[in-house]
């Protein structure tokens, strides 16, 4: 074996490619990372603690893996796809019935796209709860929020391309929502569609965005994101990282658990990549991506649902005008997410309660009551999926404010910061609205029970 | 041009360079803005190949009072009432789905977010912000003609007593 490997790597051709030969000792392992354009986005050594799976669950890496799979399958699909009416739909049917592995490729592309949206959201949530959004990582966090939006846009522009009923009506509703933006909305919709109706112009524009413009932005964004991760000191290891150490201690701690990137980090990345690929391949063999009848601008299906990650917004549309639920609320949520780390809002170790307990509790309940009032009366119906989490969180916060919390859980809650509570509310309502939109809404956007009436999806 | 060297600049030179840097980046920024504006203008279509939205429905005397014509392809309803005709766009004013006519309930209904409209086009339920748009109607060569690209006043009626 070692003879064979030597024969393969110990020759002029291989060495012209990889000067130091196959890396087997500390020096060549360092060189392998250092001298390779792609690998040198990593440092030469990483902390064993940082690359442990339970720290990040590799969610960012898995998102990147999905993006890679999407690029491969996407380029393959482009060979058979024409962004024109009605060819686009015919090409989908061809992929389904006459192209070898056509269904599989389409399935893989579709399921990897869904997986990426979910993984990026989970990555955002986990990164927040780990506290990794704080200085010096605030820029990378804001960039991450931009990547989250970009991921959704990529998925959404792809949604129109099959030109079936699902695609057509999801995009009708989505672009009308954009049109509700003040001043620029109508014009934005006109530019996006290349006209006033969803037709061939719109299909071509979505195609260009989906296959060229947005992926290019995503590649650059992801590269900067991973590079900044390294420049910001690698994966966040907890509050101790920020405590100044004596110089003598520093040396000891610094070298304590450093391991070389090749093979320790790279092997983990490879396994993670193979794992998600295997999972998606299995799903793609077992299930087929939906394809409904060809788009018919005269016939709206009932119910007409947007893609699942927009069903939270679509549920909001039931309560508020398109301006509020399609532009103002999501815009505020995205902006708030991006700027969280730039406000040193009661970050760790400054207890939220303490001296000003009474006045802060009064403020909390003032805001809660005002918010509940707004949520009950401002919309077409009371917005229960927002009201209930608001009240529950305010109650839990008040318990955490008791002078001496009785249990360990109480003490833990007492130490949570304000951003923690706001973010938790955001996560709970996004999930609640989305789950209601997916499972509990049927024809006419009336309530249904999924176990009794089935899922309209 | 002098060959490049790495000598330390004097304070005066520094000042000059900073000035040039600001002027230069300002100029580049202006070019960037201009390019962005030009690109925006470029992607805005000047000519649209969208279908003509004027069409003839038929002879008005053939439509009995109380009829609701559902013109699926054109996404238009034409209603004949006692005093005359009016045409409604079938496009829901909420987010653009196509409404349906429900004969038993004498109204229109949107499948997307559940808006309901009366026969007159006024909102009777759901999130729709405005009544269905009335469309321009005329009689040309004895034919009833709808211009679906041309909205009419909210009470517009083509008077034509039965
Ligand atoms: C296209 C989407 C994204 C990709 C491909 C991506 C990729 C990555 C990767 C590979 C890492 C290394 C750690 C890990 O594997 O989990 C990472 C870390 C990080 N990501 Fe992302 N990410 C994306 C979106 C986001 C989003 C939406 C946020 C939050 C708003 C975010 C914020 C961060 C931060 C702050 C770190 C540093 C974590 C730490 O220091 O522990 N990223 N990202
Ligand atoms: S589009 Fe008709 S109710 Fe929303």
């Amino acid at each position: 074996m070692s003879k064979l490997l030597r024969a393969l790597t110990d020759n002029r051709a291989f060495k012209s490619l990889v000067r130091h030969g196959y890396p087997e000792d500390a020096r060549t392992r360092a060189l392998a990372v250092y001298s390779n354009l792609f690998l040198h986005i990593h440092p030469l050594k990483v902390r064993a603690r940082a690359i442990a799976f339970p720290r990040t669950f590799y969610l960012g890496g898995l998102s990147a893996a999905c993006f890679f799979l999407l690029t491969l399958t996407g380029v393959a699909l482009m060979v058979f796809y024409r962004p024109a009416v009605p060819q686009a739909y015919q090409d989908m049917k061809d992929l389904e019935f006459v192209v070898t592995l056509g269904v599989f490729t389409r399935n893989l592309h579709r399921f990897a796209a869904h997986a990426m949206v979910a993984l990026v959201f989970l990555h955002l949530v986990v990164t927040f709860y780990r506290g990794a959004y704080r200085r010096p990582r605030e820029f990378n966090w804001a960039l991450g929020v931009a990547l989250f939006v970009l991921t959704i846009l990529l998925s959404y522009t792809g949604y129109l391309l099959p030109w079936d009923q699902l695609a057509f009506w999801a995009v009708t509703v989505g672009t009308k929502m954009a049109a509700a933006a003040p001043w620029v909305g109508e014009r934005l919709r006109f530019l996006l569609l290349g006209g006033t109706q969803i037709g061939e112009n719109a299909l071509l524009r979505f195609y260009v965005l989906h296959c060229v413009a947005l992926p290019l932005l995503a590649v650059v964004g992801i590269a900067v994101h991973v590079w900044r991760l390294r420049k910001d000191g690698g994966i966040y290891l907890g509050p101790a990282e920020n405590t100044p150490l004596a110089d003598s201690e520093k040396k000891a701690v610094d070298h304590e658990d450093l391991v070389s990137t090749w093979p320790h980090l790279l092997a983990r990345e490879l396994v993670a990549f193979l794992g998600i690929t295997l999972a998606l391949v299995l799903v793609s063999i077992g299930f087929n991506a939906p394809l409904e009848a060809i788009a018919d601008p005269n016939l709206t299906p009932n119910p007409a649902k947007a893609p699942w990650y927009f069903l939270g917004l679509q549920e909001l549309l039931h309560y508020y005008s398109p301006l509020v639920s399609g532009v103002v609320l999501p815009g505020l949520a995205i902006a708030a997410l991006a700027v969280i780390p730039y406000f040193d809002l009661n970050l760790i170790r400054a207890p939220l309660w303490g001296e000003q307990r009474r006045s802060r509790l009064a403020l909390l309940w003032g805001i809660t009551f005002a918010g509940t009032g707004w949520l009950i009366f401002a919309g077409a119906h009371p917005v229960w999926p927002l009201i209930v989490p608001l009240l529950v969180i305010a109650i839990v916060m008040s318990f955490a404010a008791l002078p001496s919390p009785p249990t360990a859980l109480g003490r833990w809650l007492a130490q949570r910061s304000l951003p923690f509570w706001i973010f938790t509310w955001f996560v709970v309502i996004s999930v609640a609205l989305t789950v209601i939109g997916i499972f509990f809404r049927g024809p006419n956007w009336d309530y249904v029970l999924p176990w009794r009436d089935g899922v309209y999806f | 041009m002098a060959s490049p060297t790495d000598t330390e600049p004097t304070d005066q030179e520094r000042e000059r360079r900073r000035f040039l840097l600001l002027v230069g980046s300002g100029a580049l920024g202006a070019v960037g803005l201009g390019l962005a504006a030009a690109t925006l203008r470029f992607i805005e279509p000047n000519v649209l190949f969208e279908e003509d939205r004027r069409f003839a429905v038929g002879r008005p005397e053939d439509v009995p009072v109380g009829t609701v014509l559902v013109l699926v392809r054109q996404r238009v309803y034409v209603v004949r009432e006692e005093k005359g005709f009016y045409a409604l766009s079938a496009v829901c004013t909420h987010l653009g789905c196509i409404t349906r006519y429900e004969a038993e309930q004498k109204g229109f209904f949107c499948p997307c977010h559940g808006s309901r409209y009366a026969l007159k086009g006024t909102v009777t339920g759901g999130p729709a912000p405005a009544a269905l748009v009335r469309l321009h109607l005329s009689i040309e060569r004895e034919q009833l003609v709808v211009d679906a690209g041309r909205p009419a006043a909210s009470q517009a009626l083509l008077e034509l007593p039965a």
Side-chain angles (χ1 to χ4, degrees), chain A residues 54 60 133 188 256 267 298 315 395 402 412 420 434 441:
Chain A
Y133 61 95
L188 190 70
E256 168 198 36
N298 303 320
E315 171 68 14
I395 292 169
L402 290 177
W412 184 82
F420 171 92
T434 306
R441 291 297 193 176

Side-chain angles (χ1 to χ4, degrees), chain A residues 169 172-173 176-177 187 190-191 194-198 201 205 296-304 314 317-322 380 442-446, chain B residues 40-45 47-51 53 72-75 91-100 109-116 126-127 129:
Chain A
W169 292 101
T172 303
V173 174
K176 278 275 183 165
M177 248 152 73
R187 198 173 160 84
F190 185 73
L191 288 183
T196 57
Q197 305 163 357
I198 297 188
N201 283 1
R205 279 170 190 230
D296 180 353
N298 303 320
L299 183 75
T300 310
N302 186 2
Q314 199 171 344
L317 273 174
H318 194 59
Y319 305 98
Y320 298 113
S321 70
N444 314 350
W445 212 253
D446 289 333
Chain B
L40 265 186
R41 185 60 194 82
F42 172 80
I43 62 171
E44 177 170 342
V47 182
L48 286 182
F49 299 94
E50 291 182 346
E51 52 185 317
R53 314 271 349 254
V72 173
R73 229 193 67 73
Q74 286 88 357
R75 284 164 258 160
V91 178
C92 178
T93 54
H94 181 228
L95 287 176
C97 292
I98 305 299
T99 54
R100 288 164 193 200
F109 165 74
C110 179
C112 283
H113 316 94
S115 288
R116 292 173 183 281

Side-chain angles (χ1 to χ4, degrees), chain A residues 130-324:
Chain A
R130 287 177 43 238
Y133 61 95
R134 288 184 219 120
R135 193 151 67 194
R137 295 177 177 80
E138 66 267 69
F139 173 78
N140 221 16
W141 168 266
L143 176 61
V145 173
L147 284 174
F148 175 53
V149 175
L150 198 58
T151 306
I152 287 183
L153 287 180
L154 266 168
S155 191
Y156 186 63
T157 48
Y159 214 76
L160 180 64
L161 301 185
W163 202 254
D164 64 346
Q165 279 287 75
L166 203 64
F168 186 90
W169 292 101
V171 171
T172 303
V173 174
T175 55
K176 278 275 183 165
M177 248 152 73
W183 308 301
V184 291
E186 283 294 341
R187 198 173 160 84
L188 190 70
R189 177 171 192 270
F190 185 73
L191 288 183
L192 198 60
L193 298 186
T196 57
Q197 305 163 357
I198 297 188
E200 212 159 50
N201 283 1
L203 182 58
L204 185 55
R205 279 170 190 230
F206 273 58
Y207 176 74
V208 172
L209 284 173
H210 184 75
C211 300
V212 185
L214 298 176
L216 277 180
L217 278 179
V219 168
V220 175
I222 293 172
V224 173
H225 188 68
V226 180
W227 176 249
R228 277 300 295 245
L229 168 74
R230 175 178 166 186
K231 292 288 136 181
D232 294 341
I235 300 287
Y236 180 59
L237 294 174
E241 187 190 274
N242 297 339
T243 343
L245 295 172
D247 277 351
S248 53
E249 283 176 302
K250 216 182 223 163
K251 265 239 138 72
V253 173
D254 269 358
H255 296 288
E256 168 198 36
D257 67 342
L258 281 177
V259 295
S260 25
T261 295
W262 180 301
H264 299 288
L265 173 56
L266 293 174
R268 282 172 175 72
E269 287 182 345
L270 183 66
V271 170
F273 173 70
L274 293 179
I276 185 100
T277 308
L278 181 67
L280 288 170
V281 163
L282 289 180
V283 174
S284 304
I285 292 173
F287 300 90
N288 281 338
L291 183 66
E292 295 188 359
I294 189 167
D296 180 353
N298 303 320
L299 183 75
T300 310
N302 186 2
K305 286 197 174 185
W308 63 269
Y309 42 81
F310 276 159
L311 289 182
L313 284 186
Q314 199 171 344
E315 171 68 14
L316 265 187
L317 273 174
H318 194 59
Y319 305 98
Y320 298 113
S321 70
L323 178 61
V324 174

Side-chain angles (χ1 to χ4, degrees), chain A residues 315-316 318-321 324-325 329 332 366-394 425-426 429 433:
Chain A
E315 171 68 14
L316 265 187
H318 194 59
Y319 305 98
Y320 298 113
S321 70
V324 174
S325 46
L329 293 180
L332 280 179
I367 294 177
T368 305
F369 282 131
T372 308
W374 190 78
L375 291 170
I376 288 180
F377 296 111
H381 322 272
V383 198
W384 296 114
L386 269 59
I387 298 171
V388 174
L390 183 63
L391 291 176
V392 170
I393 285 183
W425 183 66
F426 164 77
I429 62 169
L433 286 170

